[in-house]
Amino acid sequence: MEMPAAEATILNQREALITDLRSLLPADRIVIDQPSLRAYDRDALTAYRQLPLLVVLPDTVAEVSQILALCNRRNIKVVARGAGTSLSGGALPLEDGVLLSLGRFNKVLDIDYDNRCVTAQSGVTNLSISDAVADQNFYYAPDPSSQIACTIGGNVAENSGGVHCLKYGMTTNNILGLEMVLMDGTVIRLGGQHLDSEGYDLLGLLTGSEGLLGVITEVTVRILPRPEVARAVLLGFDNNEDAGQVVGNIIANGIIPAGLEMMDKFIIAASEDYCHAGYPLDVEALLIVELDGNPVEVDHLINQVVDIAKAGASTSVQVSNSEAERLRFWLGRKSAFPALGSLSPDYLCMDGTIPRSQLPDVLRRISALGVHHGLRVANVFHAGDGNLHPLIMYDSNIPGELEIAEAFGADILRLCVEVGGVLTGEHGIGVEKRDLMGVIFDQGDLNQQMRVKCAFDPEGRLNPGKVFPTLHRCAELGHMHVHNGELPFPELPRL
């Protein structure tokens, strides 16, 4: 049977591309056989998979530049990948695109304690940065649940947060500089080992850009001295709504915990079974509240939090009295995602953010949506900043359940926007939320965002199919192009 023309074209492009790539990279750093490609066919949004055209494993910035320039000349799409921990499909490959893996960019390049910053290649894991400075009692504050695996380049691409982002901020609040390669092979550097740079905040623009604007190869982040004391309080409640109300009351009293997390009964039971953190099993919801600072301050704040919790119908209170006990409290929270595997063969992890004042109502409405869709939902999330992570449980072996789970997730995200929130807090839009962008942005908003994409990537070859529901040709939106690391802003039309 004759091969379809489109498939034949892709195969011809692939063979020619492989020939060119072999002049740039050793053969063992070009992955082309199907069994090996399957290791890259999805990220942490496991409901979707796609074999890439091929995978390249560059070792230097020069190699990244040469690969991108080659793909640009040949009109080949490119998807950059760190550790593949994206929960929004941000690193999902393309059948007609090269997957550029940055796993070999795994070196910490410089530690500057005087300026309190670390420069690392983009493939260095989040936790490795803290490990590199632990002997001097420093650490890197943003700590996603996947910090043992996720890379700092991926953290920048998604503007990752973590359980301590309430007090210490997201990635964007902790990044000082980066090195990035544009689609045409140009290498640019922004920021560095200093405070804010002059001019437009391109560093802020690139943080959270989801791999659509360039390939990040190096990152400089700020590090912090570890607080003198950190203690955690474990609070139990008879229902999610009471727990959500106490979250708002803690913040309303002027207390900014280092971390303020919430877990419901599904996660409590699963985590306790998984790692034996010592959680009470007779409660419907748990809050983990961490306070840090000097001993006198921490003791005072803990007393305040306990009083607020008791006034808010808390049914149990445990206060950590040692570092080992504090870490045990957090172990269950950090293990929540893998632990859920004992309750369901599959789940979708959502990522909407809402005003804290809406927590009780939104948690109640999420439960009602679960009944409506006929699926269970577990809640574990960064309660302090309203960043929800409902985990929708389903079985992909049952025909139609994935589609029901997706509809349920879309309803949750619409609910977040309805109450004044946004579609994502830290996981990004990717492919998961792409078709919901119109819920929060009108076409004018989307066009303006796409103009920025066009300025960095005029032909739309970097990570296409992500974020935007419809990607216009740049010629339709008016040309802008980054030149010498600068972004020209044309004169706006008069109103």
Side-chain angles (χ1 to χ4, degrees), residues 5-248:
E7 187 176 339
T9 299
I10 290 174
L11 285 175
N12 289 336
Q13 285 180 327
R14 186 176 189 265
E15 293 307 313
L17 183 61
I18 290 170
T19 299
D20 286 346
L21 285 170
R22 282 176 173 158
S23 69
L24 304 178
L25 299 174
D28 64 352
R29 291 201 271 123
I30 307 170
V31 182
I32 57 176
D33 63 290
Q34 193 166 106
S36 298
L37 290 175
R38 292 206 177 279
Y40 299 90
D41 70 357
R42 74 194 84 177
D43 56 19
L45 183 64
T46 56
Y48 306 101
R49 66 180 70 180
Q50 172 63 61
L51 284 178
L53 185 68
L54 54 86
V55 175
V56 291
L57 302 164
D59 209 19
T60 65
V61 177
E63 288 177 350
V64 172
S65 175
Q66 291 169 338
I67 291 166
L68 288 178
L70 170 61
C71 291
N72 196 47
R73 290 195 304 271
R74 286 194 164 276
N75 194 24
I76 301 291
K77 302 164 188 170
V78 177
V79 176
R81 176 187 172 105
T85 59
S86 170
L87 287 161
S88 63
L92 187 71
L94 302 164
E95 65 176 348
D96 58 346
V98 169
L99 189 72
L100 194 156
S101 173
L102 292 154
R104 298 176 69 89
F105 280 64
N106 56 7
K107 299 178 181 64
V108 173
L109 302 174
D110 182 64
I111 299 175
D112 183 346
Y113 290 110
D114 290 336
N115 289 302
R116 293 188 176 183
C117 59
V118 168
T119 300
Q121 291 182 309
S122 57
V124 170
T125 63
N126 175 289
L127 186 59
S128 292
I129 294 177
S130 289
D131 288 344
V133 297
D135 63 328
Q136 297 296 314
N137 217 26
F138 279 80
Y139 75 112
Y140 177 60
D143 54 346
S145 294
S146 59
Q147 67 178 147
I148 193 171
C150 65
T151 64
I152 192 63
N155 289 174
V156 174
E158 303 293 353
N159 191 23
S160 301
V163 299
H164 290 97
C165 64
L166 173 62
K167 183 173 182 179
Y168 295 106
M170 310 281 285
T171 300
T172 191
N173 306 111
N174 291 275
I175 181 173
L176 296 170
L178 59 79
E179 176 185 74
M180 187 175 80
V181 186
L182 302 181
M183 187 65 215
D184 65 1
T186 302
V187 180
I188 65 172
R189 299 187 71 92
L190 300 169
Q193 296 176 328
H194 49 75
L195 295 178
D196 292 347
S197 303
E198 71 284 353
Y200 293 113
D201 183 18
L202 294 185
L203 193 60
L205 175 69
L206 293 169
T207 306
S209 58
E210 302 196 34
L212 271 70
L213 306 182
V215 175
I216 297 168
T217 51
E218 182 186 299
V219 182
T220 300
V221 297
R222 69 175 79 246
I223 53 173
L224 301 174
R226 286 206 174 273
E228 189 176 350
V229 173
R231 297 174 69 192
V233 186
L234 198 64
L235 304 171
F237 296 86
D238 281 337
N239 57 71
N240 291 337
E241 290 76 17
D242 285 347
Q245 187 61 56
V246 166
V247 169

Side-chain angles (χ1 to χ4, degrees), residues 365 413-421:
R365 292 173 68 179
L413 294 174
R414 291 189 186 97
L415 171 60
C416 290
V417 175
E418 176 192 325
V419 301

Side-chain angles (χ1 to χ4, degrees), residues 415-429:
L415 171 60
C416 290
V417 175
E418 176 192 325
V419 301
V422 294
L423 293 174
T424 180
E426 58 179 343
H427 293 173
I429 299 296

